[in-house]
DNA sequence: CTGAAAGCGCTTACAG
DNA sequence: CTGAAAGCGCTTACAG
């Protein structure tokens, strides 16, 4: 292995000077610099990142903390993960994946000193992992929000997303609109923030419309979708449209409705929020979706975090991006 | 930050002895050990992984090298990535994500000394990245295979998978079976190994059946699936069944066939190979799939690599796992 | 069974 | 503009 010492010897300088040119930390005379660069080239030297990390107490590694047993894996998650990894690499950082269930495990990992910063996925309204994160003193950015809006986060703007979905449906004459969310495996009142916030936005929109709300929470599976279809028919037969915040159940809802004699979109219009268009077009009829800005969020989260680490940042980032409507064939005029 | 020195002082021993008990590298007297463990507990000491890495020249970090612009992201990929990350953590390793396009970039990263080993995804028949990997002297395991079967790999057994799919279809009376694969953005003859091998297995099976082969390569999108449906109808109208090695096109194929007046499975039976069942049941009719063993492969690949790093291994791993048939509703009796 | 000491390959005040 | 040297927090022969 060729080290900085080898380069220094070949260029007839001290290792400090080599370090200065590699990092651009101090001015170096042009001739000296040229000699050093030549030596680096000739020896094919690459600085050891571990030694650098120890000496500078900056590892340039970021952790992506995600729940161990992912909810049904989906396109959005992989897009988010990959874009975060890509964004990190573009700025010279590495991203490690940390499946964490409990805060205990998280604290251990954080205390090891491997990472300079962390990204936390699937944030809940009250989230003990966030407390651990704060206690660890490792800088972080949340993907999603807790109750405490002051923490740095990037998130989907679910309120705007729901509003837009409702607006779109209203344009087709729908007024009785149901919401299908996802059951969480957590105490009520502590769901993932997205569910709480979307729920609240939905209730507001219905109140503004002067229509009664109809909310159904099912599992994020095809079976869950079928359950939703039946509940919809039995308990909310007046609903002519439904907004899903449950991608995993969307296909089942369409299939289940059809099996119950209700066609999409003739009898029931469907919008799947926070869903990849690639996913929507697999379904028949193609789903009208609100595309999750997964790729943007991944980059934004990483860049916000790195900005903080580099001290290039004043206020904690509070970034909200709404989903974008991508029309499919699952929304039609409200039945008379 | 509390260091090993702090622990040593509190326990009245040298830092070497602390290291011995933490790593279990040398026998330590019970009383001494107890004192040290107490000190660790009281100080809430956690060993600095970076310092350890530098001193031991083992970082305990693994890289997952994946193509930068993923083919259409799918459930299988995220399952693979997450299970690899999880498997690594269970053995005390971390997994970094490295999006790499060119070998150049890869060599730079590898030379930095951050990782002890690497996993390479989307391996092609002739793959320059593999050569870079070998040249870097970083231990690795391939996900997929090149021409050179001697390198360590884990892979889906596409031959067995195709055979099983053909067998299944034959059980329903099908003989004229088409294969739909995915266009690669690489020179012909250098596709991802899975396509070459599945293709070969398919040709063998058709030869054994004494039927002419019919192969269609389309993009892994809904549109690609539609193209396949049309090509199938126009160019291979005798085919009563199709095996897909192209998850992204499967939904489009079903929808496209229906649009052309051919119902699945009445007129055309469909099996989607290397596909997640969760995906299959989204489609109408539910797709009969060959489930990709993504989760197993992720763990196997990581464990094989770590075994090698730990010297717990003789021969390079050559692990092949076939997909498992999960019947849906897209396969029916061959039309008379 | 335990310790003193060298060393992993860098960065970074401090001096000149 | 450049260098000598301390130090990052560990591991690991080597000695005893």
């Amino acid at each position: 292995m060729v080290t900085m010492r080898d380069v220094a010897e070949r260029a007839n300088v001290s290792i400090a000077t080599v370090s200065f040119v590699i990092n651009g930390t101090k001015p170096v005379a042009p001739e000296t610099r040229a000699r050093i660069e030549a030596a680096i080239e000739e020896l094919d030297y690459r600085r050891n990142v571990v030694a650098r990390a120890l000496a500078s107490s900056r590892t340039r590694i970021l952790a992506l903390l995600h729940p161990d047993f992912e909810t049904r894996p989906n396109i959005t998650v992989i897009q988010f993960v990959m874009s975060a990894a890509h964004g990190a690499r573009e700025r010279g950082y590495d991203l490690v994946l940390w499946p964490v269930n409990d805060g205990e495990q998280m604290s251990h990992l954080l205390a090891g000193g491997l990472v300079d910063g962390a990204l936390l996925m699937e944030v809940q309204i009250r989230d003990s992992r966030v407390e651990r994160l704060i206690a660890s003193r490792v800088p972080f950015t949340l993907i999603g929000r807790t109750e405490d809006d002051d923490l740095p986060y990037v998130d989907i703007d679910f309120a705007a997303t729901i509003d837009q979905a409702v607006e779109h449906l209203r344009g087709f004459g729908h007024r009785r609109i149901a919401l299908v969310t996802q059951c969480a495996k957590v105490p009520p009142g502590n769901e993932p923030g997205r569910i709480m916030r979307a729920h609240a936005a939905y209730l507001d929109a219905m109140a503004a419309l002067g229509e009664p709300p109809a909310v159904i929470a099912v599992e994020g599976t095809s079976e869950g979708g079928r359950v939703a279809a039946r509940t919809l028919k039995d308990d909310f037969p007046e609903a002519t449209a439904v907004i899903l915040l449950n991608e995993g159940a969307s296909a089942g809802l369409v299939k289940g409705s059809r099996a119950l004699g209700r066609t999409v979109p003739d009898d029931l219009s469907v919008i799947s929020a926070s869903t990849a268009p690639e996913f929507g077009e697999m379904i028949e009829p193609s789903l009208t979706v609100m595309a999750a800005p997964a790729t943007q969020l991944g980059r934004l989260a990483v860049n916000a975090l790195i900005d903080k680490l580099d001290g290039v940042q004043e206020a904690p980032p509070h970034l909200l991006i709404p989903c974008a409507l991508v029309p499919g064939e699952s929304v039609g005029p409200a039945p008379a």
Side-chain angles (χ1 to χ4, degrees), chain A residues 251-283:
Chain A
L253 173 61
V254 173
K255 292 174 76 164
S257 295
R258 194 178 295 136
L260 294 170
R262 304 181 81 196
T263 315
V264 174
D266 295 345
D267 304 313
L268 186 69
S269 286
V270 175
I271 293 184
S272 184
S274 189
T275 292
E278 294 91 337
F279 175 86
E281 62 184 33
M282 304 248 145
I283 311 301

Side-chain angles (χ1 to χ4, degrees), chain A residues 95-118:
Chain A
L95 189 73
V96 300
L97 256 27
W98 280 354
V100 289
N101 288 319
D102 54 300
E104 175 69 20
Q105 183 188 11
M106 222 180 86
S107 297
H108 264 81
L109 288 173
L110 257 9
L114 180 66
V115 304
D116 287 345

Side-chain angles (χ1 to χ4, degrees), chain A residues 35 46 50 56 65 69 77 89 158 227 230 235 245 335:
Chain A
R35 265 203 336 275
R46 240 69 61 89
V50 178
S56 64
L65 308 171
F69 284 80
V77 170
R89 274 255 40 92
F158 286 101
V227 171
R230 172 158 294 289
D235 299 354
L245 201 79

